[in-house]
Amino acid sequence: MFKNKNKMIENKIVNKIKNVIFFNLIIKTPFNNKNIILKIKLNSKNLDKMVLSKIDKCIPYHILFLLEYEGMYQAFISYKEIENEKIKVNKYYHTQWLEKESLPCKIEGLNMDSVYENFIRQIAGAELNVGSEEKKNLKEDIEQAEEKKQLEKQISALQAKIRKTKQFNRKVELNNELKKLKKMLEKF
């Protein structure tokens, strides 16, 4: 089964990717952190995230993927934690398909970690703009955005449940629960 999965990923790479250009982004710092930019020219507009994830897990550096298809670009980046040579790839963020000049990928920061964090914030956009306007720790912002997303899912599910419920007393009970969840959502 594992061989079949690798063969499937290999086929996706061969069929979907025309070529890959590797850029090593180096900023002089006393630290050994690196950010890598991979420009991937595609044969078709859609590329399975599994392919990016496989690449991400093999390279122990932060990677900004720039996908190109017919002159349009899409930036992909993951929140990746690297500790003691162990790589944990969490959530992927991406832009829409844009012209090259419109990509929100400006190099900002005094060290490689802050450049990487700023890439994530620029690409994620409004998805990470939760809570107060002050910038917090990126990991906290991602966790808070995930909590907000889960809360929104709970609210949607509860609203659907309220619509389906026939009993008046049960509807009142569910509406009270819905109000509590909406108050929690307002805090974000």
Side-chain angles (χ1 to χ4, degrees), residues 37 64-66 74-76 95 100-108 118-119 122-123:
I37 300 173
L64 169 62
F65 296 96
L66 292 179
Q74 186 176 40
F76 265 86
T95 63
K100 188 176 184 178
E101 299 78 28
S102 301
L103 282 172
C105 301
K106 295 168 184 61
I107 298 173
E108 298 174 352
N118 283 319
F119 277 157
Q122 291 167 26
I123 293 168

Side-chain angles (χ1 to χ4, degrees), residues 20-69:
V20 176
I21 300 172
F22 174 89
F23 298 97
N24 189 1
L25 181 60
I26 300 174
I27 296 176
K28 291 184 180 181
T29 67
F31 307 106
N32 194 21
N33 298 344
K34 292 182 183 176
N35 288 340
I36 295 173
I37 300 173
L38 286 180
K39 181 179 173 188
I40 301 174
K41 196 165 193 169
L42 301 176
N43 288 324
S44 64
K45 198 171 186 176
N46 298 321
L47 181 66
D48 194 331
K49 282 186 196 175
M50 188 186 327
V51 173
L52 299 180
S53 178
K54 193 74 168 170
I55 295 169
D56 241 340
K57 288 177 182 174
C58 293
I59 301 174
Y61 303 116
H62 301 302
I63 303 172
L64 169 62
F65 296 96
L66 292 179
L67 307 182
E68 179 190 357
Y69 178 70

Side-chain angles (χ1 to χ4, degrees), residues 113-139:
D113 286 334
S114 61
V115 169
Y116 165 70
E117 286 185 12
N118 283 319
F119 277 157
I120 290 177
R121 289 183 188 282
Q122 291 167 26
I123 293 168
E127 194 172 338
L128 280 182
N129 292 337
V130 293
S132 64
E133 290 299 313
E134 71 180 60
K135 280 189 179 178
K136 292 179 275 193
N137 176 307
L138 180 62
K139 186 175 183 173

Side-chain angles (χ1 to χ4, degrees), residues 136-152:
K136 292 179 275 193
N137 176 307
L138 180 62
K139 186 175 183 173
E140 290 174 14
D141 284 349
I142 289 172
E143 288 170 356
Q144 190 176 15
E146 199 58 38
E147 286 175 29
K148 180 181 178 188
K149 194 175 189 178
Q150 291 300 322
L151 197 54
E152 288 170 342

